[in-house]
Amino acid sequence: MLSLSISVPARLTDDVLAVLQGDDYVTGLAVMRGASVIPPGDVVTADIAREGANPVLDALRALGVHEEGTIRVERVATWLSHSGLDAERRAPGASADAVVWTEVGARAYEDSELNWTYLSFMVLATLIAGIAIVLDSPILVIGAMVLGPEFGPVAAVGLALVRRKGHLLGLAVRTLVLGFVAGIVMTFLASLLGRALGWVTYQDVVGSRPATAFIYTPDKWSFLVAVVAAAAGVLSLTSDRTGGLSGVFISVTTVPAAGNVALGLAFGAWHEVAGSLAQLGLNLTGMAVAGWLTLLAQQTVWARVPARRRTLVGGRGLLGHPQD
C-alpha cells in the first residue's frame, strides 16, 4: 500500500478528488480545505494499492498537479483497513511485482546526481581496491565492491533507455564517467606516493596474485555475472524487496578494475591497465544491457496484467476476510 499526500491549489481540488474517487484501488480518501500554505490551497490524502498507482499518478500529472503543487508518495509499512484490503485485492498483479515508475524515476535521478558524496564514496572504494590488489586480499576486494556507489547510475541508464529520458541518460553517463575518473586519478596519485615511500613495488602490481587475478582477466563469465547481477539489482530496486542489492555489489568487478587501472598507470604495467579496462567496460556494458532488458520486460509484462486478480495469500486475510 502507498500513501498519497497532495498539496494542490483549490481550483484543482475537485479534479483531484474526481480522479481518486473514480479509482477502484484508492481508499482512505480525505481532504483538508485551506490546509496548504505553499501552494495556497488544500491538502488531499489517500491510500492506494501499489499495483494500481501508475494510472492514478499519470492522471494527477496530466492535471498539472506536480507543476502547481506537490504529490508525495510514501510506502506504508503496516496498515489495518478492510477497505484497504479490498482495494489491494482488486488491484492487478502482486504488490511485490508492481513497478511504480514515478518512484523508480525519482530514485534514478537521485542516484545519478554527481555530488561530493558520490565522488567521495567512489574515491574511497577505489583506494580500498588498490590496497586489496597490493595485498592480494579478496576480503578487501569485496569491501571495495560493497562501498562503490556505481550501480545507481548504471540502473538509471537502463531506465533512461526504456522510458526514453535523454536528460536522465546524460546525467547517469556523466556521473559514471566522472566518478570512475575521480577514483582512478586519486588512486593513481596515492600509488605514486606509495611508490615513492617504498610501500608499493612494481612486483606487487605485476607479480602472482592468485586471489585477485580475475580483476584484469575478463572472460565470458565476467559478462554473464554482470548481466545476472544487474538483473537482480534492478528487480530489487523496482520492487518492495531490496535485499538482493548486497549480492549485486559483491558480484561485479567494476571498482576493483578501476583500482587496478590506477596501479598499472602508476607503475607502467600496461598489460594490467589494458586487462582492467576491458574488465571494467565488459562489466558496465553487461550491467547496463541487463538493466535495460529487465526494465523493458517489466514494462511489457506489467502492461498486460489482468485488470482483476485473486490474492496470492492463502487461507484468511490479515483482517479476517476469507480468500477466494
Side-chain angles (χ1 to χ4, degrees), residues 10-228:
R11 62 183 178 80
L12 292 178
T13 301
D14 290 340
D15 292 332
V16 169
L17 290 175
V19 168
L20 297 175
Q21 287 176 312
D23 193 277
D24 289 340
Y25 315 135
V26 172
T27 185
L29 178 60
V31 59
M32 292 167 278
R33 303 284 182 180
S36 178
V37 177
I38 303 175
D42 306 324
V43 174
V44 179
T45 62
D47 295 327
I48 184 171
R50 179 183 175 86
E51 307 92 304
N54 285 320
V56 169
L57 293 173
D58 289 343
L60 293 176
R61 287 173 61 90
L63 291 175
V65 175
H66 64 298
E67 296 175 350
E68 301 188 52
T70 301
I71 305 171
R72 188 171 71 246
V73 183
E74 296 179 344
R75 298 185 183 188
V76 180
T78 305
W79 51 272
L80 296 173
S81 168
H82 285 292
S83 60
L85 180 60
D86 288 337
E88 201 274 336
R89 292 181 64 198
R90 288 192 298 268
S95 176
D97 297 332
V99 181
V100 181
W101 293 108
T102 300
E103 180 182 61
V104 176
R107 180 164 185 173
Y109 274 103
E110 181 179 354
D111 290 344
S112 299
E113 181 182 5
L114 184 65
N115 50 47
W116 287 111
T117 299
Y118 179 90
L119 291 175
S120 297
F121 273 107
M122 184 60 76
V123 168
L124 293 172
T126 311
L127 286 170
I128 291 176
I131 296 172
I133 292 164
V134 172
L135 300 179
D136 195 29
S137 170
I139 299 300
L140 290 179
V141 168
I142 293 174
M145 290 175 172
V146 173
L147 191 59
E150 76 281 4
F151 182 71
V154 171
V157 169
L159 179 66
L161 293 174
V162 171
R163 306 293 286 182
R164 300 180 181 179
K165 295 179 178 291
H167 182 251
L168 176 59
L169 179 62
L171 286 177
V173 171
R174 184 191 67 166
T175 297
L176 274 175
V177 171
L178 294 182
F180 276 109
V181 168
I184 290 172
V185 168
M186 295 304 296
T187 305
F188 168 75
L189 295 176
S191 300
L192 291 179
L193 178 61
R195 182 178 182 177
L197 294 174
W199 292 3
V200 186
T201 67
Y202 180 80
Q203 191 59 33
D204 290 330
V205 178
V206 302
S208 176
R209 302 202 316 259
T212 57
F214 65 93
I215 291 173
Y216 60 92
T217 52
D219 55 21
K220 59 181 180 294
W221 298 110
S222 301
F223 184 78
L224 182 60
V225 169
V227 168
V228 174

Side-chain angles (χ1 to χ4, degrees), residues 256-322:
N260 206 44
V261 168
L263 281 170
L265 289 173
F267 286 86
W270 305 115
H271 67 287
E272 298 271 348
V273 173
S276 298
L277 284 174
Q279 180 76 278
L280 180 59
L282 193 67
N283 278 273
L284 289 176
T285 300
M287 292 169 69
V289 170
W292 168 52
L293 292 177
T294 302
L295 287 166
L296 183 62
Q298 287 181 295
Q299 179 175 259
T300 303
V301 171
W302 191 250
R304 299 179 180 178
V305 171
R308 301 291 182 193
R309 70 165 174 97
R310 295 177 183 271
T311 182
L312 299 180
V313 181
R316 297 177 64 83
L318 294 175
L319 298 173
H321 277 205

